[in-house]
């Protein structure tokens, strides 16, 4: 058996020995998007909590209803991204969640900039 054949047969073992993880299972990318989503979601929850304490009850009720609809849309869009991804559906799903949540943080910050100060 030549060296090329041995590398081919043992590539996963060799790659794991070098980096401590396999690259072909998308774990590093998935972990990165998941970490991004969790950080943006934590910030979104912080913004939402602050607005809950600072807005009047009627203003917050409107925001709450909009937020609930946004969550449904975010989840639907993530599901669609996953369904249309032939390459890595779980990465597409998580990337979509992270991007939508980031955009929502910016939108709320812009809309309620003065309230959040």
């Amino acid at each position: 058996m030549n060296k090329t054949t041995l590398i081919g047969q043992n590539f996963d073992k060799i790659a794991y020995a070098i980096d401590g993880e396999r690259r072909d299972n998308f774990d590093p990318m998935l972990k990165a998007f998941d970490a991004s989503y969790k950080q943006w979601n934590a910030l979104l929850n912080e913004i939402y909590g602050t607005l809950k304490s600072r807005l009047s009850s009627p203003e917050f009720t409107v925001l709450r209803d909009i937020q609930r609809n946004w969550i449904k849309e975010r989840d639907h869009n993530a599901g669609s991204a996953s369904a249309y991804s032939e390459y890595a559906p779980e990465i597409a799903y998580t990337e979509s969640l992270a991007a939508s949540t980031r955009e929502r943080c910016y939108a709320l910050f812009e809309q309620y900039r003065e309230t959040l100060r």
Side-chain angles (χ1 to χ4, degrees):
M1 215 179 282
N2 66 28
K3 190 170 186 171
T4 305
T5 304
L6 285 173
I7 289 171
Q9 289 176 344
N10 295 300
F11 182 81
D12 287 335
K13 251 189 277 185
I14 295 166
Y16 187 83
I18 294 169
D19 286 340
E21 58 192 26
R22 291 179 51 194
R23 297 283 181 191
D24 65 335
N25 65 3
F26 307 109
D27 278 347
M29 239 200 294
L30 184 59
K31 286 177 185 175
F33 283 124
D34 188 53
S36 176
Y37 167 66
K38 286 177 180 174
Q39 290 173 343
W40 283 112
N41 196 52
L43 179 59
L44 180 62
N45 287 331
E46 189 174 326
I47 292 168
Y48 187 78
T50 301
L51 291 173
K52 184 177 182 179
S53 68
R54 294 186 181 174
L55 292 175
S56 68
S57 183
E59 288 173 317
F60 181 74
T61 300
V62 170
L63 174 61
R64 184 196 64 211
D65 293 344
I66 291 170
Q67 194 69 6
R68 287 178 178 169
N69 287 330
W70 172 81
I71 290 169
K72 289 176 188 173
E73 183 180 332
R74 177 204 62 193
D75 293 348
H76 173 77
N77 290 342
S80 293
S82 174
Y84 290 111
S85 174
E86 295 176 20
Y87 187 64
E90 45 297 298
I91 290 174
Y93 181 86
T94 308
E95 181 182 17
S96 177
L97 289 177
S100 295
T101 305
R102 180 186 66 241
E103 289 169 13
R104 184 66 180 153
C105 285
Y106 277 105
L108 286 176
F109 182 75
E110 286 302 316
Q111 183 176 357
Y112 294 101
R113 181 184 299 264
E114 295 304 315
T115 306
L116 292 167
R117 287 183 186 212

